[in-house]
Amino acid sequence: MKTYYHPDFLKYKHALHSESPERLKGILKKVKTLLPKKYGEEILLLAHTQEHINHIKSGALIDRDTPNNPGMHAIALKSAECAITAAENNGFSLARPPGHHAGPDYAMGFCYYNNIAIAAKYLKKNVLIIDLDVHHGNGTQDIIKNDEKIHYLGLHQNPAYPGTGITSELNYSNYPLQLGTTGKEYLKILTHALDKLKFKPEHVGISIGFDTYYKENLASLNLMLEDYEKIGKLLSERLENVFCVLEGGYYIQDLPLMFENFTKHFI
Ligand SMILES: [Zn+2]
């Protein structure tokens, strides 16, 4: 799987913040990367209001989780462009900031613009978004709801931040998971979710978060290193035209191994 990355993704750091440049640095030692294409600021309007974009650009306050400064807009735009590049090439967007908590008119939870929703909308095809971050992709769900070309399928810990993702509707299916869920249980639920899905995608975007790991400080699931290979294998065997966008995952030391295991079976 081709991996897309831009050096600007290392250019911001917030003091005492889990979402740090170190998350990418270890993975970069393992993989060759390609630069993302430029698509221009108007891509943000695929998922966000102009008011929201102006807010991020202005550097105005958001919240403690999601610090803002005038430089954040340009880096977050690049992260969205990287997701589209990955979507057009069945690749992996190794980018930060992540995006799945950002909604049409709000930023939160380390996310400014919703990279995967922007990429899915840009494709203008039937796109299945599978969100495997330990936290519910509330922003993605808010953006794609009522869009019949996109279906959101999410597995996430409950209870956990941001507290949403309990119910399912026409174009989104949520699978809340108990604290302590193991890799074996996780794979069983993911397989069941794919079996049940009626939506026929032309592309599949995976919001991959590695915060389902058993050593993760921000959550309480119990996935082990080898489980990421099993999940990647299952998805690569069952789905076509797959692209991946990095969301969370904060156990820095083992992130490169999780990335390597997860991507092993994708071509
Ligand atoms: Zn997360």
Side-chain angles (χ1 to χ4, degrees), residues 100-101 110 133-136 161 209-211 218 247-250:
H100 75 151
H101 294 306
F110 316 161
D133 190 276
V134 79
H135 304 102
H136 177 236
Y161 179 90
F210 294 110
D211 41 11
L218 296 191
E247 302 290 354
Y250 308 95

Side-chain angles (χ1 to χ4, degrees), residues 7-267:
D8 284 1
F9 299 148
L10 302 183
K11 280 190 180 160
Y12 73 97
K13 187 180 172 89
H14 308 298
L16 303 174
H17 206 291
S18 319
E19 207 289 280
S20 71
E22 280 66 35
R23 297 178 60 231
L24 301 191
K25 284 180 184 169
I27 299 176
L28 286 167
K29 289 185 189 146
K30 293 254 179 200
V31 68
K32 270 193 195 165
T33 60
L34 298 162
L35 287 171
K37 255 175 73 180
K38 284 185 182 168
Y39 295 86
E41 194 179 306
E42 56 279 8
I43 58 161
L44 302 174
L45 289 165
L46 291 166
H48 299 286
T49 61
Q50 187 64 55
E51 290 71 27
H52 176 65
I53 298 163
N54 294 344
H55 185 106
I56 304 297
K57 267 181 153 172
S58 73
L61 197 67
I62 301 169
D63 61 25
R64 247 173 57 183
D65 273 350
T66 322
N68 196 14
N69 62 54
M72 278 312 303
H73 163 78
I75 303 176
L77 169 60
K78 234 170 209 121
S79 186
E81 290 179 320
C82 199
I84 298 181
T85 311
E88 291 198 303
N89 295 282
N90 295 341
F92 195 109
S93 171
L94 185 62
R96 58 188 287 270
H100 75 151
H101 294 306
D105 55 357
Y106 58 86
M108 62 184 270
F110 316 161
C111 301
Y112 303 82
Y113 299 130
N114 196 308
N115 308 315
I116 199 145
I118 291 167
K121 297 250 186 200
Y122 186 89
L123 289 172
K124 295 188 171 61
K125 298 269 177 66
N126 285 349
V127 183
L128 169 64
I129 295 174
I130 303 179
D131 192 320
L132 301 180
D133 190 276
V134 79
H135 304 102
H136 177 236
N138 59 311
T140 310
Q141 180 177 300
D142 274 354
I143 291 166
I144 65 90
K145 70 180 168 197
N146 303 321
D147 182 337
E148 56 189 26
K149 292 186 88 61
I150 305 179
H151 191 101
Y152 171 93
L153 191 163
L155 274 68
H156 44 268
Q157 180 185 310
N158 177 60
Y161 179 90
T164 50
I166 313 302
T167 57
S168 297
E169 293 289 340
L170 216 56
N171 78 327
Y172 58 89
S173 323
N174 283 307
Y175 291 86
L177 307 172
Q178 288 181 348
L179 277 71
T181 296
T182 62
K184 198 176 167 192
E185 291 161 336
Y186 191 95
L187 271 157
K188 201 174 151 191
I189 294 165
L190 179 58
T191 305
H192 166 75
L194 292 172
D195 288 343
K196 243 184 89 177
L197 193 73
K198 298 219 168 55
F199 184 77
K200 295 277 172 269
E202 295 164 278
H203 292 263
V204 180
I206 301 175
S207 266
I208 181 68
F210 294 110
D211 41 11
T212 44
Y213 192 45
Y214 76 110
K215 289 184 184 173
E216 175 64 58
N217 278 328
L218 296 191
S220 308
L221 296 197
N222 265 334
L223 272 62
M224 314 297 262
L225 282 178
E226 60 269 26
D227 293 320
Y228 294 99
E229 180 176 351
K230 290 176 190 164
I231 294 167
K233 187 166 186 288
L234 172 76
L235 296 172
S236 67
E237 284 172 357
R238 293 209 36 172
L239 304 165
E240 286 178 357
N241 284 333
V242 176
F243 68 99
C244 301
V245 176
L246 183 67
E247 302 290 354
Y250 308 95
Y251 191 79
I252 305 291
Q253 201 183 321
D254 292 348
L255 264 179
L257 293 169
M258 291 183 242
F259 171 85
E260 198 172 55
N261 280 359
F262 179 74
T263 51
K264 197 175 278 181
H265 294 278
F266 292 102
I267 304 159

